[in-house]
Amino acid sequence: MSSVFVFIVIISALGIVCVIREFRFRNLKKSLEEKISDIDRISKLLTEKNMEAGDRNIRLQKLLEAKTDFVGIASHQLRTPITEIKWGMETLLDGSYGEFDSEQRARLEKILDSTLKMIRLIEDLLRLVRSEAGYKEYNIREIDLEALIKDVGDKIKEGFRKKDTELEYNFNTGGREVRVDEDMIGIVVTNLISNAFHYTDKGKIIIGTMIANNQFHFEIKDTGIGIPMSKQEHIFKKFQRAKTALQMYSGGIGLGLYIAKNIIEQHRGRIWFKSEEGKGTVFYFAIPLF
Amino acid sequence: MENKKRQILIIEDDEFLRETLVRKFKKLGYRVSESITGEDGLEVLKTAAPDIIILDLILPGIDGFEVLKKIKEDERVLRIPVFILSNFGSQEDIERGLNLGAEDYVIKTNVSPSDVIKKVEDILKLKGS
């Protein structure tokens, strides 16, 4: 009797264990199914996000291309109407449409002067956009940088022939070819040389070049007004110009050095300066030759 | 005085700029032909033989580069100097123009109409015509 009882108890216990296990198994299965559906959902979400990121990449790429196109189109679209104003004023002033009295002439000359200022501002802004376009957008080729520097220097000196400022070249690279974007480096060189002339009423500007540490080194030393100590740390920022400089010259909007820094850095180089107020400034840049 | 015999073709779609140049060249005694499109410019060249061509790059139909290419492919007119006058002015554009055989490339905003005349006269002097 007791053995039958024990048997029943054992069977019942086994039954209970089975029921409990079955119950736990079901629970496990259920939670596994839930997990799988979670994973499914996440994986779907990830795929969607991935596609979105891909789309966003394509959109960004298009935007970048559009920015580069924009510069080309904007420069053309902005230059066209302003050329009409400029040519219109110039032909009025050169007598193509009859003579004007001196008062009328003075007014026309003022309008032409403002138009020329406007052209310089537009060119500055276009250069800014181009300089920010990134290295990939640069048109890198090997060029004789000294020849470019001399070309730009001679032209700027000619423009400032009324000033009592000498320009001297001290070239030491023997016409070494350097891999750069000619337009962009031309902008840097133009900025640095015309700054030197703007801020040097009389004295001397010396432009030097050399190769050192596998880099092309450029320096331009002037005997001009110098940069006040308090302004020195801001000189490469956007829209910066020292007050004294502003009083002397207001031809631009203070983008030149910011643009120059952008361009030199895009060429993996660096730009810096030393300056003493009242004595003069030296600007340097170095570009790796690789 | 010798300008009386000189003939110039101006391919430029901007009416104001075209008229400005036409007026100036006519005053100097040039015979001036004008075209608003590249296609029309090439058409004019079929019957006329100007001493020089002023060519804009952005034109309503085919662009100036295309016009220049076609001029340089045509034995009959390929020796006529082409002077590009455009507001497109990247180094790339300038080189492309000069490589295609343009005599000079000038950005409009950088010059006055009188500068354009001077440049044209310089080219003609150089070419000895």
Side-chain angles (χ1 to χ4, degrees), chain A:
Chain A
M1 182 71 190
S2 69
S3 65
V4 170
F5 180 73
V6 169
F7 179 73
I8 289 168
V9 167
I10 290 171
I11 291 294
S12 312
L14 276 175
I16 289 165
V17 168
C18 276
V19 167
I20 290 171
R21 288 187 75 174
E22 173 65 18
F23 183 71
R24 281 176 61 188
F25 178 72
R26 273 194 193 158
N27 266 351
L28 209 70
K29 199 176 158 209
K30 203 176 152 203
S31 86
L32 255 177
E33 276 167 2
E34 274 170 17
K35 286 248 167 15
I36 287 170
S37 94
D38 273 355
I39 290 171
D40 255 6
R41 223 180 42 242
I42 290 168
S43 128
K44 254 185 216 151
L45 205 75
L46 275 175
T47 315
E48 267 169 35
K49 289 279 171 219
N50 243 339
M51 278 164 70
E52 261 175 45
D55 279 355
R56 207 167 291 155
N57 255 341
I58 293 167
R59 276 207 303 273
L60 267 177
Q61 195 60 40
K62 279 197 178 139
L63 218 65
L64 262 178
E65 279 164 22
K67 190 178 177 186
T68 316
D69 287 348
F70 162 80
V71 183
I73 293 162
S75 52
H76 185 261
Q77 296 303 86
L78 289 170
R79 277 173 181 153
T80 299
I82 207 141
T83 305
E84 292 185 352
I85 300 172
K86 179 173 176 274
W87 282 28
M89 296 313 298
E90 281 163 346
T91 44
L92 284 177
L93 280 163
D94 73 13
S96 295
Y97 295 84
E99 290 306 316
F100 296 96
D101 66 37
S102 63
E103 204 181 349
Q104 288 167 329
R105 269 197 84 81
R107 290 196 76 77
L108 291 175
E109 273 160 9
K110 175 73 191 99
I111 301 172
L112 179 61
D113 192 47
S114 298
T115 309
L116 295 177
K117 227 176 247 171
M118 181 97 164
I119 290 173
R120 283 199 296 274
L121 296 181
I122 290 173
E123 299 295 327
D124 254 10
L125 287 171
L126 292 172
R127 277 194 279 268
L128 169 71
V129 181
R130 261 211 81 194
S131 80
E132 286 177 336
Y135 191 74
K136 266 212 297 221
E137 303 301 330
Y138 281 32
N139 177 24
I140 303 289
R141 284 175 318 145
E142 290 209 337
I143 65 151
D144 177 351
L145 210 42
E146 283 177 352
L148 171 81
I149 293 164
K150 185 164 187 315
D151 204 33
V152 171
D154 287 351
K155 259 185 216 146
I156 294 174
K157 186 180 159 42
E158 180 56 24
F160 283 93
R161 60 185 176 277
K162 281 183 197 150
K163 275 197 176 183
D164 191 16
T165 310
E166 276 178 68
L167 175 64
E168 192 183 300
Y169 300 102
N170 180 18
F171 289 152
N172 295 298
T173 79
R176 174 72 184 254
E177 300 228 309
V178 189
R179 284 176 58 76
V180 294
D181 181 316
E182 190 174 359
D183 272 355
M184 303 309 269
I185 290 295
I187 292 171
V188 176
V189 171
T190 304
N191 272 333
L192 294 179
I193 302 178
S194 58
N195 274 353
F197 270 98
H198 273 300
Y199 302 128
T200 309
D201 271 341
K202 60 178 177 196
K204 202 176 198 177
I205 293 166
I206 305 170
I207 296 175
T209 60
M210 65 169 182
I211 304 286
N213 301 324
N214 216 23
Q215 288 181 323
F216 180 98
H217 284 259
F218 168 96
E219 66 168 66
I220 179 163
K221 187 174 190 300
D222 68 47
T223 53
I225 57 167
I227 304 160
M229 204 59 182
S230 60
K231 302 290 174 201
Q232 292 196 3
E233 63 171 310
H234 305 295
I235 214 82
F236 287 115
K237 289 182 185 156
K238 239 184 218 181
F239 305 115
Q240 283 298 324
R241 174 165 296 146
K243 233 185 211 160
T244 40
L246 205 57
Q247 283 154 4
M248 268 187 79
Y249 157 62
S250 56
I253 38 177
L255 281 170
L257 288 173
Y258 170 78
I259 292 172
K261 187 167 186 276
N262 261 346
I263 294 173
I264 294 297
E265 284 175 356
Q266 295 284 7
H267 284 84
R268 299 176 184 85
R270 66 191 190 98
I271 183 167
W272 70 104
F273 68 95
K274 277 195 304 209
S275 185
E276 203 177 326
E277 211 176 343
K279 288 204 170 156
T281 306
V282 197
F283 269 95
Y284 307 85
F285 70 76
I287 302 172
L289 288 171
F290 58 127

